[in-house]
Amino acid sequence: MRAAPLAGGVHGPEALRPLLDVVLGALRDGAAARGGPLPSGGADAAARRVREAVGAVLPQHGTGQDEALRTLVHALAAGAADPAHPLCAAHLHTPPLALAAAADLAASALNPSLDSWDQAPAASALETLVTAALAAEVFPGAPAPDALVTTGGTESNQLALLLARERHGTVRTVTGANAHHSFRRAAWLLGLPEPVVVPAPGGTIDPVALDQALTALAGRPLLVTATAGTTDAGLIDPLPRIAELCAAHGADLHVDAAYGGPALFSDTHRHLLDGLDRARTVTVDLHKLGWQPAAAGLLAVRDTADLAVLGHTADYLNADDDTEAGLPDLLGRSLRTTRRPDVLKTAVTLRALGRSGLGALVDACVDRARHLADLVEKAPGLELYARPTLTTVLLRPHGAPDEAVAEIRRTLLADGRAVLGRAAADGRLWLKATLLNPHATPGDLEEILTLVEGSTHR
């Protein structure tokens, strides 16, 4: 039996070319078979269809490259919750740009590992350039900003707490009630006290309550975490006021801008992030409002010296004499060892679209959210939670109990007609539309409301 061809090297592209045709055809046919934003029938039906397509996971004799690719890619596409469909709007699950996905293929084919320079000479140099440029976007004017590539907000937030712990010892984290769940988990993993939670009436941190909490905790090392883009309603904490309070109380500030951070690319909306540059560390996810395939997270730091504590030596990867001889040391750039070159897709996107192109995508999605909010306000049977800050809109049928709101969502999921999220706000349950598809049309937005209203009267 002839050995299966490899993806890299001079002959790799020719081995990949016919396989790409198979994959692209299976993606197209699978999406057509699905016919909507997700498969109908619910979880049991979706699992059954996958089992039937897969059959024996590890057969005695393989079926061959083309058949395996066609069958399983088709099954995955037909059973996907497809974020490229305009009615798939539940989560911060972005439809990736085609050019970013194409760049990600190159990263997979070359397969550099960014744990030592001799596995990734060009990729490590590219990562250095891109992270420096993005850190400068977050901290303009800072003398020595830097950023680490992460798998997303959870890893970035954990790293921020780790850096604070290494600076101060047993640091106490102070979060808003609106903060991401990863902070509580990070404190647990790092052996830190459970975070002090400050009220967030209306979905954002109450500065008066924060001032009181910081006063009560005086004398202890403190890390305040603020949010720029909450997962429920896309709200942004009052960053300038929070930064002032941190300065007054001697507390460090971390901002979780996983969702809202890419608004920095928009001339129209970057003002929403005023005060962001006063943080010590900032989380940004480009697989949200950056339209990258996951994962594309960042932790930006105002002072690269803060990253020195991550330094680690493994003789087979970064021996001291190799480092002294000039080979770059990559182990201090992540808590992970093996690490794929996720920076490539981001670098390609930045070069291809530029700040103006990315900003236009941000603006388009914010405009879609505002338009949907307009439609909700005009619909007599629907209620709008609030005008959107970013791209999230919360809505519910007038007078419906929470149980009915939850059932509407599950009905749309089971029928495969729409993917809407859920969020608790103002003591009630709301349907959540997170608009990250810049190609969504006014007709698509109207269809979301038609489906909600139609499910209300079933």
Side-chain angles (χ1 to χ4, degrees), residues 41 95 103 174 178 182 212 245 250 299 452:
V174 182
N178 60 340
S182 58
Q212 294 170 346
L245 289 172
L299 177 69
V452 170

Side-chain angles (χ1 to χ4, degrees), residues 18 31 34-36 38 86 96 126 140 179 183 187 190 205 233 242 255 300 334 349 394 420 441:
R34 178 178 9 95
L38 81 168
L126 182 64
F183 289 111
L190 294 169
I205 287 179
I242 292 172
V255 178
S334 177
T349 301
L394 302 186
L420 296 176
T441 67

Side-chain angles (χ1 to χ4, degrees), residues 327-361:
L327 296 184
D329 178 358
L330 305 183
L331 280 187
R333 303 294 299 175
S334 177
L335 295 182
R336 294 171 284 150
T337 302
T338 301
R339 202 159 56 82
R340 74 190 305 272
D342 286 314
V343 73
L344 175 60
K345 60 200 174 193
T346 298
V348 168
T349 301
L350 296 176
R351 181 181 177 90
L353 273 65
R355 182 182 286 101
S356 63
L358 281 166
L361 293 176

